[in-house]
Amino acid sequence: MPPSISLPATLITPPLQGACDVVVVNYNAGEFLRACVESAFAAGASTVIVVDNNSRDCSLATVEQCHKVDDSLIIVRNASNLGFAAACNIGTRYSAAPHILFLNPDTVLSSDALGGLIDTLNSSPSIGMVGGFLCNPDGSEQPGGRRVFPTPQRALLRAFGLSRLTRFFPAAFADFLLHKDPVPAGPVEVDAISGACMLVKREAMDMVGLWDEGYFLHCEDLDWCMRFGHSGWKIMFVPCARITHEVGVCSRNRPYFVEWHKHLGMLRFYRKFFRHRYPILLWGGVVLAVWFRFSLVVARHAVRQLRRSAEARKHA
C-alpha cells in the first residue's frame, strides 16, 4: 500500500551544490522527533524529510505544531511499519540534494555538526560516507559510531563477554566496536559507522544502490557500509561532529520484537558477506550461536520484566 503523503508528490527543485537534505525515519519517537527536526534545520539542512512508519503517538503532531509542512519540511506517512531500510529509501526519493543525511529521530545535531560532516565528505572524491561522534546525554561516546566489521567470530566474542580479554590478547579477542579507543584528533577512515547518523554523497549512493530492504531493523547500516567499501568508497568518522543520541527511544517498548529482527538481521548480514568463507558445519554453528544468543537476550528481558512487575506490586 503506497504511503500517505502530506505534500503533493512533486519533485523538489535541485538545490545548491553544498546543500544537504535530512531523512528521519520515525516510529513513536514522541517529543524527541521535534528536537531532532529543529536541530537539523538549525544545523543548516535544506529539507527535512520525515518518513513515519505508522506511529500511534503525538510525534508528528508536535512537529507540525512548530514547523509548517512546506518545501523545507516533508512528512511521508506510511500506512504500516515498513521497517527502517524501506523507509530510508522512501525518504531518499523525495530528495534531490547532493548530500543526504540519514538521522535517527532520537538524535540532536550540534550546531556545527552538519558543516563538519559535509566538509569531510567533500574533502576527497573517494569519500562516500561519513558519520559523527555519537554521544550519550552526559557527553560520553556511544558504541557503534565507529567500528570494524563484526565478523561472526568478533560478534560471538562480544556476545559472550570474551571481548573483555582484548587488553590481554588483542589479536585473538579484538572487539569490533572502537568507542573505547582514544578519540582521534581529526577525521579517520573506518570500516563502518552507525545508521543513527550517516551522511552520504548522492553519486556514491547512485553507484552502490539504496538500502537493502531485506532488513527490517538492525544491521542494514552495516550492510550499506560493506557495500560502499566493496565499491571503493571510503567511510570516515568525524570526531568534531557531535550528535547526542538517546538510544532506543523508538524500540524500548517492544524488546522482543526488536531482538527478533536484530538477530534476523545478523544472519542476513553474515549470509550475504561471510557465508562463502565457512564450511557448512561451521556455518551451522554460527546460525545456532546467533539463536542461542537470542534466547539468552529474551530470557534477560523476561527476568527484568518479572522484577519490575514484582516491584510494582510491592509498592501498589
Side-chain angles (χ1 to χ4, degrees):
M1 188 173 181
S4 169
I5 304 158
S6 297
L7 288 178
T10 56
L11 289 176
I12 300 169
T13 303
L16 299 175
Q17 185 60 34
C20 177
D21 289 345
V22 176
V23 174
V24 181
V25 175
N26 179 57
Y27 182 76
N28 295 327
E31 293 283 347
F32 290 95
L33 177 63
R34 181 175 64 179
C36 175
V37 171
E38 288 176 347
S39 75
F41 280 125
S46 304
T47 303
V48 175
I49 304 157
V50 176
V51 183
D52 185 75
N53 269 331
N54 197 30
S55 293
R56 303 302 174 89
D57 70 348
C58 63
S59 50
L60 292 183
T62 59
V63 172
E64 291 172 322
Q65 287 171 3
C66 300
H67 297 277
K68 180 183 177 183
V69 178
D70 55 19
D71 288 344
S72 63
L73 174 63
I74 298 174
I75 296 179
V76 183
R77 302 171 190 265
N78 292 330
S80 61
N81 189 346
L82 303 180
F84 182 74
C88 284
N89 289 342
I90 289 171
T92 298
R93 297 184 182 107
Y94 287 87
S95 167
H99 314 104
I100 303 177
L101 176 66
F102 296 91
L103 195 61
N104 274 15
D106 49 8
T107 59
V108 172
L109 293 168
S110 62
S111 59
D112 58 352
L114 187 55
L117 291 171
I118 292 175
D119 287 345
T120 300
L121 189 66
N122 291 334
S123 64
S124 168
S126 64
I127 298 175
M129 177 190 295
V130 299
F133 184 97
L134 289 176
C135 59
N136 298 303
D138 65 2
S140 60
E141 184 177 3
Q142 286 181 357
R146 48 180 173 138
R147 46 189 165 169
V148 296
F149 287 119
T151 62
Q153 176 182 339
R154 288 177 180 146
L156 291 175
L157 288 174
R158 180 172 180 80
F160 297 108
L162 297 177
S163 58
R164 298 170 186 169
L165 300 175
T166 300
R167 57 180 176 173
F168 304 112
F169 309 101
F173 295 97
D175 199 348
F176 60 87
L177 300 175
L178 304 177
H179 64 291
K180 293 183 180 179
D181 292 356
V183 178
V188 294
E189 184 175 358
V190 293
D191 282 354
I193 56 177
S194 170
C197 177
M198 185 176 276
L199 178 68
V200 300
K201 277 179 184 170
R202 178 170 293 278
E203 61 182 295
M205 184 179 64
D206 289 344
M207 175 187 290
V208 174
L210 296 176
W211 297 73
D212 181 352
E213 297 182 13
Y215 299 90
F216 186 86
L217 188 67
H218 286 290
C219 296
E220 60 281 288
D221 51 355
L222 288 171
D223 180 291
W224 219 22
C225 289
M226 182 74 82
R227 289 160 55 205
F228 267 68
H230 286 176
S231 298
W233 293 98
K234 292 181 180 179
I235 298 170
M236 306 293 289
F237 169 70
V238 186
C240 69
R242 297 181 70 87
I243 302 96
T244 303
H245 184 208
E246 291 274 358
V247 178
V249 164
C250 299
S251 59
R252 61 182 51 154
N253 293 324
R254 304 183 303 160
Y256 302 112
F257 176 87
V258 170
E259 290 297 340
W260 171 257
H261 284 288
K262 181 177 183 177
H263 287 77
L264 284 178
M266 288 181 191
L267 285 178
R268 181 175 181 84
F269 178 74
Y270 295 151
R271 188 166 54 247
K272 283 183 68 172
F273 299 108
F274 296 100
R275 170 66 184 89
H276 64 282
R277 304 183 189 181
Y278 292 84
I280 189 166
L281 288 178
L282 188 55
W283 172 248
V286 170
V287 174
L288 287 174
V290 168
W291 290 120
F292 178 63
R293 181 188 185 277
F294 173 72
S295 67
L296 293 179
V297 172
V298 167
R300 185 180 65 195
H301 282 301
V303 169
R304 287 177 178 174
Q305 284 187 334
L306 288 173
R307 286 176 178 172
R308 284 195 293 266
S309 297
E311 287 293 323
R313 287 195 299 270
K314 189 182 299 183
H315 294 92

